[in-house]
Amino acid sequence: MKLGVNIDHIATLRQARGTVYPDPLDAAILCARAGAHGITAHLREDRRHIQDDDIFRLKELQPLPLNLEMANVESIVEIALSVQPAEVCLVPEKRQELTTEGGLNVIGHFEHLKETVTCLNEAGIEVSMFIDPDIETIVACKDLGAPTIELHTGTYCDAEPNEAAVFMEKLIKAADYAHDLGLKVNAGHGINMENLGGILCLPHLDTLNIGHSIICRSVFLGIEGAVKEMLDGMQDYTG
């Protein structure tokens, strides 16, 4: 299982003061040095953290594959086609949210998503759909032609202990079903060292995409230390 590090909140710190530091590119290079397998960055419509120039520099000037998170918006799709990241993860996006609040409504926006997925596939960009663990949604992702899903783990990670088992069961069923359909299965959102053990119960995982908790830990450990800590926690995964 691979680790993709989301570096959005490096840019959040930078944008808070309008400075040129800290630079997400520097963070990506250090993540690579620590053993991470990929870099994730979310180019939001409101540009609250990652900026257009960050995406181009992250693609060209650091060694890891770039996973571009983005809403299904024409102007952002055009940037993705220009940048040519290794992967695009399509996510829902609302201006007022603190972070992505749930999975993409694939069924409700099927036709619009189909056009984008086809366009990205034809450009040779791997397409991932950020979704809740819902069987009908997984079928819709397959019908779209998206080869990868990323299961939204936030509901499980934020659940009270007496509710967590219910959400974990849904995630396991979703991962099994997606795998049986031939889809690659990633997971992300809300994962930290405290709940990682539960996440390791999920079958068929290719990649965990983790951001906020790693950046928070880096305040105390440095970003290389925080990445290595997470990698150490993941090493016993058997799939």
Side-chain angles (χ1 to χ4, degrees):
M1 182 169 57
K2 299 187 286 291
L3 173 63
V5 181
N6 186 315
I7 56 171
D8 290 349
H9 293 302
I10 299 295
T12 297
L13 287 172
R14 177 190 64 193
Q15 300 307 113
R17 285 290 183 92
T19 58
V20 297
Y21 64 86
D23 190 339
L25 176 61
D26 292 339
I29 292 168
L30 291 173
C31 288
R33 185 184 300 173
H37 304 92
I39 293 297
T40 294
H42 184 171
L43 184 63
R44 284 181 170 266
E45 279 193 275
D46 63 8
R47 307 302 200 270
R48 69 173 67 169
H49 38 56
I50 295 293
Q51 306 297 302
D52 297 31
D53 182 60
D54 294 326
I55 295 299
F56 284 92
R57 292 187 305 119
L58 287 167
K59 173 61 167 60
E60 297 298 329
L61 300 176
Q62 60 85 34
L64 298 178
L66 175 61
N67 171 31
L68 173 58
E69 287 188 352
M70 51 176 273
N72 186 26
V73 176
E74 183 178 358
S75 61
I76 308 293
V77 173
E78 290 175 358
I79 291 172
L81 293 171
S82 178
V83 172
Q84 290 285 300
E87 182 177 345
V88 159
C89 184
L90 292 170
V91 303
E93 187 176 304
K94 293 187 291 188
R95 292 293 177 91
Q96 294 79 21
E97 66 186 0
L98 292 176
T99 184
T100 306
E101 294 177 348
L104 194 62
N105 182 3
V106 177
I107 297 171
H109 301 287
F110 186 89
E111 293 303 325
H112 190 204
L113 288 165
K114 179 69 172 178
E115 181 180 346
T116 299
V117 171
T118 299
C119 180
L120 293 170
N121 279 338
E122 290 177 350
I125 300 169
E126 180 180 343
V127 183
S128 176
M129 312 298 288
F130 185 73
I131 61 169
D132 293 319
D134 173 74
I135 298 303
E136 290 185 359
T137 299
I138 293 170
V139 172
C141 291
K142 176 70 172 180
D143 291 342
L144 280 174
T148 303
I149 63 165
E150 180 169 336
L151 291 172
H152 178 265
T153 53
T155 306
Y156 165 76
C157 291
D158 296 336
E160 296 295 330
N162 61 331
E163 299 176 333
V166 174
F167 296 119
M168 176 53 64
E169 183 178 359
K170 291 180 179 179
L171 286 166
I172 290 172
K173 287 182 178 179
D176 277 331
Y177 193 85
H179 177 74
D180 289 344
L181 287 181
L183 299 175
K184 187 166 82 173
V185 182
N186 299 335
H189 204 82
I191 301 171
N192 57 41
M193 292 303 299
E194 284 67 41
N195 56 42
L196 178 63
I199 297 298
L200 297 185
C201 295
L202 291 176
H204 314 302
L205 292 179
D206 182 88
T207 301
L208 294 182
N209 287 309
I210 305 174
H212 185 260
S213 69
I214 288 178
I215 302 308
C216 288
R217 288 292 286 163
S218 73
V219 173
F220 303 101
L221 302 179
I223 196 163
E224 289 186 69
V227 170
K228 289 177 181 177
E229 179 184 61
M230 187 62 71
L231 287 167
D232 286 346
M234 292 166 53
Q235 66 181 351
D236 293 331
Y237 182 68
T238 61

